[in-house]
Amino acid sequence: MIHEKSLIRPEQLKTHDKLVIDGVDVSGHWSTFVEARVVTDYNERLQDEIAALPGGEYIHRCWQCGSCTNSCTVNALNPDFNPRFWIYLIRMGMESELLRDKDIIWQCVSCHKCTSACPRDVVPEGVMKATAHWLALKGHSPKSKSTIFDEEFTEQVVATGKIEDGRVIRNFFAKTGQPLMQDWLVEIVKRVARRLPVLQGLKMGWAAVFRPKARNWGRARAALDDYLQEQEAIQRKALNLD
Ligand code: SF4
Ligand code: SF4
């Protein structure tokens, strides 16, 4: 069932230029019908697949109140961006319908307004992230920039047990083909540099060059590596990727 008129695909709206019923002229707008569709390609595991990815765990709680979409930052700019509707499609297993919006689902800006508004603790922001991740893992869309950023961040944590912000940003820009010298970034660096105590600046410069590791990081790293591999195997199995 489609709850919102804006979600009816234009190709399913039918009108008659000339239609008279019982002597009443209902041509044009008055004879608008919505063509019925038959969906046969359900993916009965779709909800389980999304729930297996980080952020999607609570999708089953959704009761379709629409508070997430009403509060959504991106929906205010683009009504086609509709978390409630996508959660509905996922829960119904309507994969082909979901794929029609594959080019905008990644646009979630992670503002978490939906998460604050949700009365069922679904964490819709997490579901959007899990759905974007699912699209990439299934090969329906390229890896999103948000996933590339997360991977860069995780790689550094695993390698050293620490985060060096400058390196994360440099590598993220390089991997996503963005120039490093961006006006907003230059401005941030200038303002931080103006207020940064000299000793702190020296420490940061040293860390950027020598990439120190957290103390006794070896064992923690091995445990973290094991956990990440285990999670990846669980996700690949849930999504039937092997
Ligand atoms: S986190 Fe994403 S889905 Fe939620 S309100 Fe913000 S933009 Fe919309
Ligand atoms: S606010 Fe929560 S319960 Fe309501 S439609 Fe969105 S995800 Fe579902």
Side-chain angles (χ1 to χ4, degrees):
M1 185 172 116
I2 300 287
H3 302 253
E4 293 148 51
K5 194 178 166 200
S6 65
L7 295 172
I8 299 170
R9 312 281 177 180
E11 63 272 21
Q12 285 166 241
L13 288 172
K14 302 289 173 204
T15 58
H16 295 79
D17 292 338
K18 204 78 194 141
L19 183 66
V20 177
I21 299 177
D22 291 340
V24 180
D25 184 353
V26 289
S27 306
H29 173 74
W30 291 100
S31 66
T32 301
F33 293 91
V34 181
E35 200 169 56
R37 281 177 311 121
V38 178
V39 179
T40 54
D41 56 343
Y42 286 100
N43 173 359
E44 290 176 6
R45 288 200 35 79
L46 188 54
Q47 174 173 300
D48 293 339
E49 291 182 4
I50 298 292
L53 296 173
E57 296 89 344
Y58 306 115
I59 187 172
H60 63 281
R61 294 179 181 166
C62 176
W63 61 16
Q64 288 291 295
C65 68
S67 300
C68 49
T69 297
N70 281 342
S71 61
C72 177
T73 306
V74 180
N75 176 267
L77 300 169
N78 176 8
D80 288 342
F81 187 95
N82 192 332
R84 181 208 61 76
F85 181 51
W86 293 329
I87 290 171
Y88 167 76
L89 295 178
I90 292 165
R91 298 206 62 208
M92 293 293 286
M94 296 168 82
E95 183 169 327
S96 53
E97 279 293 298
L98 182 72
L99 291 180
R100 296 175 80 151
D101 290 329
K102 67 185 169 65
D103 295 329
I104 56 171
I105 290 172
W106 63 270
Q107 291 175 355
C108 168
V109 294
S110 293
C111 64
H112 276 289
K113 281 184 175 176
C114 54
T115 301
S116 304
C118 178
R120 295 278 295 161
D121 289 338
V122 172
V123 194
E125 185 273 347
V127 177
M128 291 303 99
K129 206 157 207 183
T131 308
H133 194 181
W134 178 88
L135 286 167
L137 285 172
K138 289 274 184 170
H140 296 305
S141 65
K143 203 181 271 184
S144 73
K145 286 184 178 162
S146 143
T147 302
I148 295 172
F149 186 89
D150 289 349
E151 284 179 357
E152 177 58 35
F153 191 94
T154 308
E155 273 169 31
Q156 281 205 28
V157 171
V158 173
T160 63
K162 294 185 177 201
I163 277 296
E164 202 272 290
D165 295 329
R167 187 181 298 272
V168 173
I169 290 174
R170 276 198 312 280
N171 290 354
F172 169 67
F173 281 175
K175 285 178 180 173
T176 52
Q178 299 182 68
L180 183 58
M181 300 303 274
Q182 303 198 31
D183 292 347
W184 61 272
L185 184 59
V186 172
E187 190 55 34
I188 288 178
V189 172
K190 272 191 204 160
R191 289 188 192 190
V192 170
R194 254 182 246 135
R195 291 163 188 267
L196 198 65
V198 176
L199 188 59
Q200 185 65 22
L202 287 173
K203 274 186 186 167
M204 286 170 69
W206 184 85
V209 174
F210 294 105
R211 299 192 69 191
K213 289 185 180 154
R215 205 169 291 162
N216 300 324
W217 184 238
R219 280 175 59 193
R221 176 181 177 161
L224 200 52
D225 265 334
D226 284 349
Y227 175 77
L228 290 173
Q229 279 172 24
E230 191 182 291
Q231 289 302 308
E232 192 183 337
I234 291 171
Q235 291 167 13
R236 293 190 70 81
K237 189 172 176 207
L239 271 63
N240 208 12
L241 290 176
D242 295 320

